[in-house]
Structures are given as C-alpha cells and as structure tokens.
Amino acid sequence: MNQLPYQSLRPYLLSALVTALSISFLTGNLFAANTDMNSVRAKYPQILNTKLNSCTLCHTSAPATNSYGRAYQNAGRNTAAFGAIESQDSDGDGFTNLTEINAGTFPGNASDQPSPATTTTTTTVPSTTTTTSTTTTTTTLPAGLNALIFPQVAVGGGYRSFLMIHNPGADAVSATATFRNPSGQPLTLFINGSAGTELSFSLPAHGSTQIALSDSGDQVKTGWVQVSAGSAVGGALVYQLLDAQGLVSQASVLPSATSRRFNILVPQLGGQTLTGLAIANTEQTAASITLQFVGTDGIQIASGTVPLPPGQQLSQFIQQYLPTVSASAAGVLEVSSSGNVAAVGLVYVIGNTAEFLTIPLIPVP
C-alpha cells in the first residue's frame, strides 16, 4: 500500500492493488487482461497505490507495448515472467527492472528514472514514506461528536469515492470536509466535479448529502478526510473500483474513532489475499506506531515500529510494514500507538478478478 484505496490501505487502501482494465486480449492491450494485472500485483504488491498500477507499466499507447511489456511477453506472460526479467534493464537507462519497480519508476521508460534517494532493490520501508515532509499545514481536531475521520480515501487510476454525511439533529448544521494527502498537505481532487481541497456545506434538520470524489488521472491519489461540523453528524465513505466495463468492486466504511490500541484480523479468503492498514495521525504531535503480527497459533511472527508525524497518513499492506510476514500468513496484527490515531483495514482478494473489502478494527482496552 505503498501509499493503501485501502501509496496507498491503492486505495492496499488502500492502496491496494488494483486499477485494471478488462478488455479482450485480442485488442492487443497487454494489461487489459485481468490475468496480467493480477500477475503483476501478485509479484509486486507494493505497486498498488502507485502510478505503476496501470496499463502504462507495459504500454506506450494501446495496443503498442513498451520495452518492458515486450520483455514480459517474451518471458512467458505470467507471474514468473516478471521475476525472470528483474535483472534486465529493459529501457536501457542504467537501472534494472526490479530497481525501478521498487523505486516507483517505469522500467519501460528511459526518461523515468529513480532518484538517488530511491535507488533501492528492497521493498519500500515505511520510515521512508513518513519522513519525506517535515512541515505540515493541516489543522485537525480530535475525532468526536463534531468531527468524523476517514483514514483512507482513493481517487484516480480506476478509483472513485463517495462521502455521505447525515445530520440527525433537529436544527440545520454547517460542515466542512477537508482532504489531506499522506504528507498532511491539501489533497487536490474533483469534489462534485470541481477541483478543490475542501468543501463547505450545510445540512437541514434530518438532512443528508452525497459528495462525489474523483480524479481524471491514471495514477491513484490517496489520503485521508476529516469532516468538521457545528454539531453531531454521521457518515460513511464508499470506495469503488472501475474498469473499462464498469464497476469491479466496492466497499463502504464508517468513520474511525481515534485510539491508541487496536487489532486487525488478517484473513486468507482464497486466491491471493492481502490485508492493508491505513493510519492517520489527527493530532498535533508525532506518534510512534508499534505493529506486531501474531499467527493463528498465538505466536508472534514479526514486529516493528514506524513514526507518524502530526497530520500525516500511512497506507500500506502488512508485508510492507513487516516484510518478513508471508503473503499467505493469517492471524492478527496488533497495533499500539504513543498517541491517538484513526485507522481502517482493507483486504484485497485477487483471483480471476480483483476485489476489495473493508475489515473492522477490534478495539483493545
């Protein structure tokens, strides 16, 4: 989730693993086939919330493939084919295909190269994504009656979201929805069709509204949302993934209460199942997040600690937080924080199609 819909719990939430585009193989669009998208996501789950999670990884413009797409096709056009060409430099820019995948640059585009800070052959380490910005402009409120926190939002690259807010009171209420990127800076997206970073609105007594969130780009944008209101409001956020044929998958999530301790169940639901966790620090002080993965037998498998500066967000798969945890592992992720944070769990199930769902967090006293 190298920044999770649910990059981003893209949008594993997120972000996740998916934007894909299902057209017939006969069109010549190599990445239009679900099997090809599933293969690359299975091999490199870290691409889910990045620009690499799109047909441009292997294509210039459909049906034409780039040098990386041709190498993949020549190697057998399956999950193993990606591994077989990792040591190659398909675009001749001096970086191996694996180095570029891990750095988030296109291995079939010589003009898109890793910067010195990202030339690595290992999976992105959470600390590298949480210390990229030392200045945060966001002003946040603790999640309570007058504030709703949604720790993950995803738009673009096949994703869109709908924010639904309800006023249960007998008086009208004014509210503002503010959108932030993972670094805590304003997130620009299309809000009801107009570009912006926040939306102010009013709700009549017992009224409600639905706010459409989208982006026209091929790359997934992720972040988090805070709704601040003059009195108590309720709400939900719906994530949708679409391809050329229409809706692929969707899931909804309620706002997240802030807490310092919670657990998330990590299931295996058939096919390849990947669980992601998005965490937003809504406070004005940095938080230290400790994660422990415990197998179904109650034995701890891995643990680690990541920093989360004020106003910022992390969204990654379990295997990105804790690289030694197998993708086939099931159990519980135990999370504790030095400060109150809001979180949401997202699960991606990749089989003949790619689907995602939200998974509730379990509060721990």
Side-chain angles (χ1 to χ4, degrees), residues 5 22 26-27 46 53 76 148-149 175 198 257 272 281 287 302 312 326-327 336:
S22 17
L26 296 177
T27 65
Q46 67 266 33
N53 190 21
L148 304 180
I149 304 297
E198 66 176 31
Q272 183 184 23
N281 183 359
Q312 295 194 18
S326 167
S336 61

Side-chain angles (χ1 to χ4, degrees), residues 5-6 10-12 14 16-18 159 272-274 347-349 355:
Y6 187 126
R10 197 172 165 158
Y12 255 171
L14 139 305
L17 281 214
V18 222
Y159 285 95
Q272 183 184 23
T273 303
L274 292 173
V347 177
Y348 287 81
V349 182
E355 298 184 356

Side-chain angles (χ1 to χ4, degrees), residues 11-322:
Y12 255 171
L13 320 78
L14 139 305
S15 68
L17 281 214
V18 222
T19 77
L21 306 128
S22 17
I23 340 180
S24 163
F25 169 65
L26 296 177
T27 65
N29 188 343
L30 188 62
F31 261 106
N34 280 334
T35 53
D36 294 312
M37 288 304 300
N38 290 346
S39 292
V40 69
R41 293 167 186 149
K43 182 65 178 176
Y44 307 115
Q46 67 266 33
I47 74 167
L48 286 183
N49 294 314
T50 75
K51 65 184 181 183
L52 302 187
N53 190 21
S54 70
C55 57
T56 50
L57 177 61
C58 282
H59 284 275
T60 49
S61 59
T65 54
N66 58 33
S67 55
Y68 183 70
R70 291 191 293 274
Y72 163 66
Q73 197 166 25
N74 292 337
R77 198 176 175 216
N78 52 32
T79 303
F82 288 110
I85 63 174
E86 286 181 342
S87 61
Q88 298 180 19
D89 178 11
S90 292
D91 57 10
D93 61 359
F95 299 96
T96 67
N97 294 336
L98 180 59
T99 296
E100 296 219 50
I101 290 290
N102 286 323
T105 58
F106 287 112
N109 182 353
S111 63
D112 188 28
Q113 301 177 1
S115 66
T118 59
T119 53
T120 174
T121 58
T122 59
T123 301
T124 303
V125 179
S127 60
T128 64
T129 63
T130 59
T131 58
T132 54
S133 175
T134 57
T135 302
T136 300
T137 59
T138 183
T139 300
T140 59
L141 298 172
L145 287 179
N146 301 338
L148 304 180
I149 304 297
F150 297 91
Q152 176 76 3
V153 65
V155 295
Y159 285 95
R160 68 183 179 189
S161 300
F162 292 93
L163 179 62
M164 298 176 289
I165 305 297
H166 168 57
N167 173 19
D171 298 309
V173 61
S174 296
T176 299
T178 303
F179 303 90
R180 300 289 176 182
N181 67 21
S183 295
Q185 305 300 316
L187 173 65
T188 301
L189 68 170
F190 287 104
I191 307 171
N192 289 335
S194 299
T197 60
E198 66 176 31
L199 176 70
S200 295
F201 55 95
S202 298
L203 294 174
H206 306 291
S208 61
T209 188
Q210 177 174 297
I211 302 168
L213 309 173
S214 61
D215 189 80
S216 58
D218 292 333
Q219 184 173 354
V220 176
K221 290 183 177 180
T222 60
W224 62 283
V225 186
Q226 176 177 291
V227 178
S228 303
S231 59
V233 294
L237 185 66
V238 176
Y239 309 99
Q240 291 187 336
L241 173 65
L242 302 98
D243 66 10
Q245 272 70 50
L247 184 65
V248 174
S249 184
Q250 63 182 337
S252 63
V253 61
L254 296 174
S256 299
T258 59
S259 64
R260 295 188 178 219
R261 294 185 65 197
F262 55 87
N263 295 341
I264 176 173
L265 292 169
V266 179
Q268 289 296 325
L269 303 177
Q272 183 184 23
T273 303
L274 292 173
T275 300
L277 176 67
I279 312 172
N281 183 359
T282 64
E283 298 194 339
Q284 300 299 315
T285 56
S288 177
I289 313 295
T290 299
L291 305 103
Q292 299 182 86
F293 188 88
V294 179
T296 54
D297 57 3
I299 298 175
Q300 179 179 301
I301 295 175
S303 64
T305 301
V306 294
L308 188 56
Q312 295 194 18
Q313 179 237 37
L314 271 175
S315 178
Q316 299 187 131
F317 289 116
I318 304 300
Q319 288 72 26
Q320 291 178 292
Y321 287 114
L322 302 172

